[in-house]
Amino acid sequence: MFLFILRRLAIAIPTLLLVSILVFGLLKLLPGDPAIALAGEDRDPAVIEFLRHKYMLDQPLYTQYVHWLWGILQGDFGLSIRTKLPIGEMILEKLPVTIQLSVMAMILALVIGIPAGVIAALKRGTPVDYGVSILGLAGLSVPSFWLGIMLILAFAVKLGWLPSGGYVGLFDSPLDNLRYMLMPSIVLGTAAAAIVMRHTRSSMLQTLRQDYVRTARAKGLKERIVVIRHVLRNGLIPVVTVSSLHFGELLSGAVLTEQVFGIPGFGKMVVDGVFGRDYAVVQAVVLCSSAMFLLLNLFADIAYVILSPRLRG
């Protein structure tokens, strides 16, 4: 197992390096000069020149990249040119909010998606299967921002059960935190639940046709034992990969949901960074998101091996 993890890390490191080059290079192609944006309405040439020199914007791209990467390797993401705060501290403040939102959304997706997919596969061709499939398709088709607005109108404006937006820290007031995060997690988890359901159904149908399942039934085992012991264990292997990769997408793709509900997370930090020409913030956030994505992929590989040791080689 240790060598298996080392091999996966050996692949992840150059991948992360390539991502860092792409992130740094592509952001430099964006229109607009951060120094001009920071100089204000006066746009004094002396001030602009000073800002370019201060943030190394007057240096060649490869010099800027090496300086940026060397700082990251030392744990220094630099200063935000908009807020003047250390970007590392900003990430540590915003990241837990997005992680909590993504975890709640993923739990919701797994709790709904896996049982629904299993039931749809076991009841294939019945009205239950068609009903679950229609709900799954609806979950994939509904835009998240529209669903968020509809939930706000229904549960915040009309019924007054939940707050329409904002955020309360988990350790400040756990109950209020759940009230504020419930609707965003439903919005974020709806599409994820539909994806998990469809993959679970497809994988279960393939597994149900395998010879060892027929053999287990021929031995006279009860259907419940066949499903739990032989079908679920093998049928959920692809679902583990899909879920882990989609969790990475939730971490990096919560931008719209955080904007709709006014949650001060990673997504809002990226939006503020883009509109403020704060390239260092955007680069740091995208790089952290990529690192988390690769880490989740590694966890998926380890889960693969645990569920099916023959995949270890």
Side-chain angles (χ1 to χ4, degrees), residues 9-260:
L9 285 175
I11 298 173
I13 290 173
T15 304
L16 197 58
L17 186 62
L18 180 62
V19 169
S20 71
I21 295 173
L22 288 174
V23 170
F24 187 87
L26 290 175
L27 280 176
K28 293 297 180 185
L29 296 177
L30 289 177
D33 187 337
I36 294 177
L38 285 172
E41 296 181 356
D42 295 339
R43 298 189 175 182
D44 187 338
V47 175
I48 294 174
E49 190 63 28
F50 170 77
L51 290 171
R52 281 183 178 147
H53 180 71
K54 180 180 180 181
Y55 295 108
M56 297 186 68
L57 297 174
D58 55 351
Q59 297 293 319
L61 279 182
Y62 65 88
T63 305
Q64 294 181 41
Y65 172 75
V66 171
H67 177 77
W68 173 68
L69 189 62
W70 180 246
I72 289 176
L73 292 175
Q74 294 177 314
D76 180 15
F77 288 90
L79 291 176
S80 166
I81 61 176
R82 188 173 54 87
T83 64
K84 315 299 181 191
L85 295 173
I87 297 173
E89 292 182 7
M90 293 171 65
I91 289 175
L92 290 177
E93 180 186 348
K94 307 290 185 184
L95 184 58
V97 179
T98 301
I99 288 179
Q100 185 199 350
L101 176 61
S102 302
V103 168
M104 289 179 65
M106 203 66 228
I107 290 174
L108 188 71
L110 295 176
V111 168
I112 295 174
I114 291 179
V118 172
I119 292 171
L122 296 177
K123 303 289 183 182
R124 184 187 182 189
T126 65
V128 175
D129 181 23
Y130 295 138
V132 172
S133 297
I134 290 171
L135 287 176
L137 191 59
L140 281 174
S141 305
V142 174
S144 59
F145 68 89
W146 181 85
L147 180 60
I149 294 172
M150 291 300 106
L151 289 178
I152 289 174
L153 289 175
F155 294 101
V157 177
K158 190 76 174 177
L159 299 174
W161 291 351
L162 295 170
S164 60
Y167 177 75
V168 173
L170 178 62
F171 298 106
D172 297 331
S173 176
L175 187 59
D176 284 340
N177 175 269
L178 289 177
R179 291 181 69 243
Y180 277 93
M181 297 293 271
L182 184 58
M183 280 199 293
S185 58
I186 292 174
V187 171
L188 204 57
T190 299
I195 292 172
V196 170
M197 185 279 292
R198 290 173 69 86
H199 279 277
T200 303
R201 179 183 179 277
S202 174
S203 180
M204 287 285 292
L205 287 176
Q206 287 184 358
T207 309
L208 283 168
R209 300 191 194 101
Q210 298 299 315
D211 291 339
Y212 60 83
V213 176
R214 281 194 287 269
T215 302
R217 285 172 171 160
K219 286 181 179 178
L221 294 177
K222 293 181 179 178
E223 186 66 16
R224 179 171 55 84
I225 296 176
V226 173
V227 170
I228 294 175
R229 188 179 297 172
H230 298 283
V231 180
L232 266 181
R233 178 166 181 169
N234 294 287
L236 289 182
I237 292 176
V239 180
V240 170
T241 302
V242 171
S243 301
S244 61
L245 294 178
H246 200 75
F247 183 65
E249 292 180 12
L250 291 179
L251 285 171
S252 57
V255 177
L256 274 178
T257 305
E258 290 182 355
Q259 284 294 109
V260 170

Side-chain angles (χ1 to χ4, degrees), residues 236-306:
L236 289 182
I237 292 176
V239 180
V240 170
T241 302
V242 171
S243 301
S244 61
L245 294 178
H246 200 75
F247 183 65
E249 292 180 12
L250 291 179
L251 285 171
S252 57
V255 177
L256 274 178
T257 305
E258 290 182 355
Q259 284 294 109
V260 170
F261 290 95
I263 298 174
F266 232 34
K268 194 170 186 307
M269 188 174 166
V270 172
V271 173
D272 293 341
V274 169
F275 283 109
R277 301 283 191 275
D278 203 344
Y279 294 158
V281 169
V282 180
Q283 288 165 347
V285 171
V286 175
L287 191 64
C288 286
S289 299
S290 304
M292 288 188 293
F293 202 88
L294 291 173
L295 190 62
L296 289 169
N297 200 20
L298 175 64
F299 288 155
D301 288 339
I302 294 173
Y304 248 58
V305 174
I306 293 173

